[in-house]
Amino acid sequence: MSARSPRSARFPRSPRSACPALDDRIDRLRQIAHSDDRLEGVLLYGSWTLGEADAHSDIEAYLYIREDRLDDFDGPAFLEQLAPLSLAYTNMYGVLAVVFDDLMRGEFHLTAAGPGIDEVPSWAGMVHLPRPEQAVLLDRTGRLTGAAKELAEFRPPEPVGAGQRLVDELTNWTLMLAHVLARGETARAHALLHTVVAPQQLQLCRLLRGSTAHWLTPSRALERDLPAADRHRYAATTAVARDADMRAAARRSWGWSRDLGEEAAERWGVRLPRALHDRISGLLSGLG
């Protein structure tokens, strides 16, 4: 006779990852979701679905709520059934962010089931679910499973269009960086360089290296995904928020952006506004 209880037979354990605590929490989420008839579906995303979860990973999911029950669904109360909460609030992106008492983080999208499930296939090229049957924890109608299967195939960004957009973005934002530095706003320039320019450089670099699995968070696993030469170029663009350091980092950053752009132009025919690029270089050089 099997040692599994009827409950465990109904809710098989999730595949094991490098984070047993996360595996157990996902198993518990599956159980409480099945017992709550306000939910039509639950879809996981993030590192666990990619097989990359470790002891520092979060739990991230979409909770698809029946439209007629959306107003009476209390997200924090529902999640308290997973584990005690130390923090729960709606973050800057409109997502319910929580911290459990064991310091595991969680992000939960509370979404109306009808339009929410309909939009899942539109994530193709941005979200990859290599094992959609494991990412779907609850599906009362079959709609969510069908939608998630649209994300099973990895679809890298189309290089010509993405490369052109990134070259243009880097041109525009680096010009803004030069103006901000010239105004003497060192702290603002520091934020602009590291939160706007650098992620787009890393995306362009990943596009050129054929390493786009972490496209939406291009700094993730950078140490593993990119060659040492690119990692060194990236490191050279960072700086503390001091005026002289920031001006030097901005020039190095722009030099790397131009080199990446030239590589993209040679490979894919991306258009480069070289005269404008030269003028930006002149502005940055003139900062001393």
Side-chain angles (χ1 to χ4, degrees):
M1 177 181 292
S2 170
R4 298 171 71 193
S5 68
R7 186 173 186 82
S8 65
R10 182 183 175 194
F11 303 114
R13 286 172 65 81
S14 301
R16 299 294 91 182
S17 73
C19 184
L22 179 57
D23 299 335
D24 292 344
R25 195 143 295 167
I26 288 169
D27 288 336
R28 177 63 179 157
L29 177 58
R30 180 186 287 107
Q31 292 173 7
I32 66 173
H34 275 267
S35 66
D36 194 324
D37 63 6
R38 296 173 298 177
L39 291 171
E40 179 177 324
V42 175
L43 180 68
L44 293 176
Y45 67 98
S47 60
W48 190 89
T49 62
L50 295 171
E52 298 179 349
D54 61 21
H56 308 287
S57 294
D58 311 328
I59 179 170
E60 302 159 303
Y62 278 79
L63 307 182
Y64 292 106
I65 305 163
R66 288 170 37 191
E67 281 90 335
D68 61 336
R69 304 300 302 275
L70 194 60
D71 290 340
D72 68 1
F73 188 86
D74 185 331
F78 174 80
L79 295 173
E80 280 276 4
Q81 300 175 80
L82 286 180
L85 299 178
S86 297
L87 178 68
Y89 74 104
T90 300
N91 70 15
M92 67 183 77
Y93 304 109
V95 178
L96 175 59
V98 303
V99 176
F100 296 101
D101 65 343
D102 59 0
L103 298 186
M104 183 185 293
R105 296 178 59 257
E107 293 185 357
F108 297 88
H109 302 249
L110 310 184
T111 306
I117 294 175
D118 286 344
E119 77 171 5
V120 170
S122 71
W123 300 346
M126 296 182 293
V127 175
H128 179 214
L129 297 177
R131 299 176 298 277
E133 69 286 350
Q134 295 175 7
V136 175
L137 300 187
L138 170 69
D139 184 9
R140 298 195 193 278
T141 65
R143 294 175 60 229
L144 183 56
T145 299
K149 286 180 178 177
E150 296 293 320
L151 308 178
E153 180 184 354
F154 178 65
R155 301 181 188 179
E158 189 279 313
V160 177
Q164 185 67 65
R165 179 185 64 78
L166 288 165
V167 164
D168 292 343
E169 291 277 21
L170 288 168
T171 301
N172 176 56
W173 290 111
T174 303
L175 176 58
M176 181 176 180
L177 176 64
H179 284 306
V180 170
L181 281 169
R183 186 183 290 138
E185 292 183 292
T186 304
R188 185 182 178 194
H190 183 271
L192 182 62
L193 177 62
H194 295 94
T195 65
V196 179
V197 175
Q200 293 177 109
Q201 282 177 320
L202 289 177
Q203 283 190 327
L204 183 53
C205 185
R206 284 183 174 278
L207 198 66
L208 288 161
R209 306 296 173 255
S211 180
T212 57
H214 298 114
W215 183 251
L216 292 183
T217 310
S219 58
R220 180 178 174 82
L222 178 148
E223 296 80 3
R224 182 186 68 205
D225 290 353
L226 292 180
D230 291 321
R231 299 197 305 270
H232 293 156
R233 293 296 297 271
Y234 169 74
T237 71
T238 62
V240 296
R242 289 193 294 259
D243 187 48
D245 296 291
M246 275 302 307
R247 283 180 276 144
R251 287 191 291 271
R252 292 192 297 267
S253 170
W254 181 232
W256 191 33
S257 292
R258 294 199 72 172
D259 288 346
L260 292 170
E262 291 291 348
E263 193 174 343
E266 182 177 350
R267 187 177 307 180
W268 300 311
V270 167
R271 301 181 309 279
L272 299 179
R274 289 188 174 89
L276 176 57
H277 284 187
D278 289 341
R279 295 180 69 187
I280 294 171
S281 296
L283 282 176
L284 290 169
S285 296
L287 293 174

